[in-house]
Amino acid sequence: MGIIRLIPTENYNKETTFVFNTSLFTSEDKLYLAPMQNLTSLFFRQAYERFFPQTIDYAVSPFISVCSNGVDAKSIKFDDVRPQANLGAMPVIPQILGNNPEQIVETCKIIEQMGYREVNLNMGCPKKDIVSRKRGSGLLREKELVEKIIDSILNQTHLLLSLKVRLGVKEDKDLETLLPVINAYPIKNVTIHPRRAIDFYEGKANEDLFEYYAKQIKHTIIYNGDIFTVEDFTRLKTRFPHITNWMIGRGVVRNPFLAGEIRGIFFDKQILKPYVMELKQNFISSLYRENETLVLNKMKEFSKYICQGMNIDATPFLHSTSLQEITTLFETCL
Ligand SMILES: Cc1cc2nc3c(=O)[nH]c(=O)nc-3n(C[C@H](O)[C@H](O)[C@H](O)COP(=O)(O)O)c2cc1C
């Protein structure tokens, strides 16, 4: 075990007791930012790294959907992971979503040409239309196809491969059938989000099955699911002391201080406002390539999370009908 950081928290009371951050985060532990379509994209990662530097070790990009009609390196699909654009953000690992081994290899080659050393395969997306097309968590029921995809990536590119999985589609045990395939290849790591696809993000993450699969899979494991507070992390680290890789999504989008707090790094709460203003600016800047409705919807989606984190009613944001309206709300309410 590494060192446990003992840093006084904000609640520290000089008169009475010392309250220490004992989140159990060690020098071996790493934090990953979860991929979240439209939320943890480049605009977010840049602002986050500027205001909360070095609190997240790596990000996995929101998925790049593998095209069925040819792959073009110039496509805007790759903009989120273009290395030059990512210089100010935390290191990113591109994630792909697809099911056709040849097209996946073509996409991986573009990622490789950009200078990346690793690609992450999405085997967890729970959306019905994606699952029914044997993509995302739909792959969890396709042992032969998964073997072909993994084999193709590892034999036809020089990339390292990591996987992001759920437990199954409707069953907890779909993942079980993939274990021989997953364990047969030199996979860099496997992120386990211990829910079934039909659960989406509801209900409690199944920690017992996480524990089971973490033991069955012989590769490095990343835990992912429902880390919303320092206490959540501490409880999970106490239960799984050998896990040193942690992925957080909604918790960090809601509360950008969370990653630092887990590490025992405390930022002045005053930076929340300029951070949110920078995000707002980044949303607006994307107008040159995206239409207003799209940008408005993205701002609404983001406001759901940040309002929850700040204990503010998100209704006015969600009812906004124009960019002007939501921008004013960002400026006055957040
Ligand atoms: C709006 C939204 C978008 C997501 N997009 C992706 C994605 O592109 N790729 C992926 O692997 N997971 C995606 N996820 C799942 C997250 O990466 C993560 O597994 C999930 O939010 C659970 O982690 P959390 O409890 O820390 O949020 C998404 C989740 C949400 C809520």
Side-chain angles (χ1 to χ4, degrees):
M1 268 278 223
I3 315 149
I4 298 172
R5 290 196 198 182
L6 294 173
I7 295 176
T9 69
E10 289 181 323
N11 306 327
Y12 138 94
N13 178 336
K14 288 196 186 96
E15 262 73 64
T16 55
T17 49
F18 286 91
V19 179
F20 288 114
N21 169 25
T22 51
S23 85
L24 305 183
F25 193 89
T26 74
S27 54
E28 289 164 40
D29 286 293
K30 299 273 178 274
L31 288 185
Y32 285 72
L33 179 65
M36 292 174 80
Q37 285 291 321
N38 297 330
L39 286 167
T40 59
S41 311
L42 182 56
F43 80 92
F44 177 90
R45 303 195 301 269
Q46 279 170 329
Y48 191 88
E49 187 63 22
R50 204 157 95 75
F51 286 88
F52 304 93
Q54 292 170 21
T55 54
I56 301 266
D57 296 286
Y58 305 97
V60 174
S61 79
F63 66 74
I64 299 167
S65 178
V66 173
C67 260
S68 49
N69 48 354
V71 192
D72 176 7
K74 293 199 185 103
S75 161
I76 56 163
K77 281 179 183 216
F78 296 102
D79 286 0
D80 194 69
V81 296
R82 295 210 190 276
Q84 212 46 35
N86 271 273
L87 285 178
M90 69 282 283
V92 67
I93 298 149
Q95 184 189 67
I96 53 166
L97 175 103
N99 64 10
N100 178 306
E102 289 79 34
Q103 290 154 1
I104 287 179
V105 166
E106 288 311 301
T107 305
C108 284
K109 284 186 175 163
I110 293 173
I111 289 168
E112 196 175 1
Q113 279 157 15
M114 286 182 184
Y116 286 101
R117 298 195 54 231
E118 178 182 345
V119 70
N120 182 273
L121 178 65
N122 182 319
M123 295 172 62
C125 184
K127 286 190 187 145
K128 269 194 183 151
D129 56 327
I130 286 181
V131 177
S132 65
R133 285 189 285 144
K134 300 182 185 172
R135 297 167 133 222
S137 56
L139 283 175
L140 296 168
R141 297 191 290 209
E142 303 295 328
K143 187 177 170 203
E144 281 77 31
L145 182 56
V146 168
E147 179 155 26
K148 187 118 195 288
I149 293 170
I150 295 177
D151 200 85
S152 304
I153 296 175
L154 292 180
N155 285 312
Q156 296 178 52
T157 76
H158 297 102
L159 289 169
L160 299 170
L161 174 64
S162 53
L163 309 174
K164 185 162 178 285
V165 302
R166 284 187 179 237
L167 304 176
V169 179
K170 292 182 185 156
E171 307 293 329
D172 285 333
K173 292 278 174 180
D174 290 333
L175 189 53
E176 179 95 44
T177 59
L178 290 185
L179 292 177
V181 173
I182 292 175
N183 283 337
Y185 287 89
I187 305 294
K188 181 159 182 268
N189 59 54
V190 180
T191 301
I192 305 177
H193 177 58
R195 284 191 170 94
R196 302 165 302 174
I198 54 165
D199 301 325
F200 278 79
Y201 303 100
E202 301 302 318
K204 210 176 156 323
N206 192 329
E207 289 169 21
D208 294 340
L209 280 179
F210 170 80
E211 185 168 25
Y212 171 76
Y213 285 119
K215 281 191 186 136
Q216 299 297 317
I217 295 174
K218 66 173 201 185
H219 310 297
T220 299
I221 298 295
I222 301 178
Y223 174 89
N224 168 237
D226 302 357
I227 302 178
F228 296 115
T229 61
V230 176
E231 291 70 33
D232 291 335
F233 174 80
T234 305
R235 194 182 52 73
L236 287 161
K237 183 72 188 173
T238 306
R239 175 156 186 194
F240 307 120
H242 300 298
I243 298 292
T244 52
N245 294 283
W246 309 90
M247 180 181 277
I248 311 181
R250 292 167 297 169
V252 165
V253 182
R254 281 181 199 173
N255 170 16
F257 295 95
L258 179 62
E261 286 168 358
I262 288 173
R263 304 182 95 102
I265 301 170
F266 297 90
F267 293 89
D268 187 341
K269 295 281 181 208
Q270 308 265 356
I271 66 172
L272 188 58
K273 182 85 187 175
Y275 163 73
V276 172
M277 288 306 104
E278 177 140 327
L279 284 172
K280 180 209 72 178
Q281 198 46 49
N282 289 352
F283 279 118
I284 301 296
S285 306
S286 65
L287 272 174
Y288 81 95
R289 57 184 156 81
E290 285 169 353
N291 70 39
E292 278 202 37
T293 314
L294 198 64
V295 177
L296 176 64
N297 287 339
K298 285 185 184 180
M299 289 178 85
K300 284 185 183 178
E301 178 79 358
F302 173 74
S303 62
K304 270 199 288 194
Y305 287 87
I306 198 81
C307 286
Q308 197 169 3
M310 293 171 77
N311 264 327
I312 293 174
D313 180 15
T315 314
F317 292 82
L318 302 178
H319 287 168
S320 297
T321 52
S322 70
L323 270 184
Q324 179 62 49
E325 198 180 335
I326 200 163
T327 303
T328 309
L329 286 168
F330 264 67
E331 285 162 1
T332 52
C333 301
L334 297 180

